[in-house]
Amino acid sequence: MPGKRASEGRIGIGWDAHPLRPGRACSIGGVAIPCDEGPEGHSDGDPLLHALTDALYGAIADGDLGTHFPDSDAANGGRDSAEFVSAALRAVAARGLGVANVDAVVTAEKPRLGPHRDAIRARIAGLLGVGADRVSVKAKSLQGLPAARGSVIAQAVVLLAPSPSRGSRPSRRR
Ligand code: MG
């Protein structure tokens, strides 16, 4: 509930998949990846930031990316998906919660994400205001399995913990 202090942690999950299209800019986890194809989408098409946004909204049971930023709204066209994450994070903070950690998996045959993993972790950590040691990103190629061909698939799990309230000390229990 907005404005109330949280007394317990929450967990959320997000999933997204976008097809690759030639000539599209390739943004994954908020990082521009050099590639001749990029994920199609109404916004910048970043499947990892969409999965993360859904995980944040899911953890606080507050709808999902589509309910907050419908693709029927022209204002969301070509939009930087980092803005979706920031909006979801504000909703999380309003409930007295903060991000404890994130674990994510990106499945794509193309582009190869291994060399960009730490840049993606740092970018997501920056968006969430946490250390990079709280953000895990794993890249899977599935060795050419047809299901992974021509698309980028992302999953994210986020754990939220109560934020320490300002000016108060943790209460001692007898
Ligand atoms: Mg999406």
Side-chain angles (χ1 to χ4, degrees):
M1 225 173 282
K4 292 222 171 162
R5 298 244 64 88
S7 59
E8 58 186 17
R10 307 289 294 252
I11 191 166
I13 185 171
W15 186 94
D16 199 15
H18 287 218
L20 285 166
R21 295 280 180 258
R24 281 272 300 186
C26 185
S27 180
I28 298 177
V31 173
I33 310 285
C35 189
D36 60 350
E37 296 180 293
E40 182 77 272
H42 184 66
S43 62
D44 65 7
D46 190 322
L48 179 50
L49 294 191
H50 292 184
L52 177 60
T53 302
D54 271 352
L56 289 165
Y57 280 126
I60 55 173
D62 184 15
D64 59 21
L65 176 65
T67 58
H68 291 272
F69 300 99
D71 60 12
S72 54
D73 185 346
N76 296 324
R79 199 158 166 186
D80 179 353
S81 294
E83 295 175 24
F84 305 147
V85 175
S86 296
L89 186 66
R90 284 193 296 276
V92 162
R95 287 160 172 80
L97 291 157
V99 172
N101 77 299
V102 171
D103 191 15
V105 185
V106 182
T107 304
E109 192 171 87
K110 185 183 174 182
R112 302 300 283 202
L113 292 174
H116 307 284
R117 181 210 304 255
D118 286 340
I120 293 171
R121 290 177 60 216
R123 173 71 170 136
I124 290 174
L127 288 173
L128 297 176
V130 300
D133 62 332
R134 292 174 180 268
V135 178
S136 159
V137 175
K138 303 184 294 292
K140 307 288 282 183
S141 68
L142 299 189
Q143 275 80 36
L145 191 74
R149 214 167 278 165
S151 57
V152 179
I153 302 164
Q155 295 160 285
V157 171
V158 60
L159 183 69
L160 306 180
S163 307
S165 51
R166 220 178 271 175
S168 71
R169 289 161 183 270
S171 59
R172 282 214 182 149
R173 280 194 159 177
R174 281 173 176 268

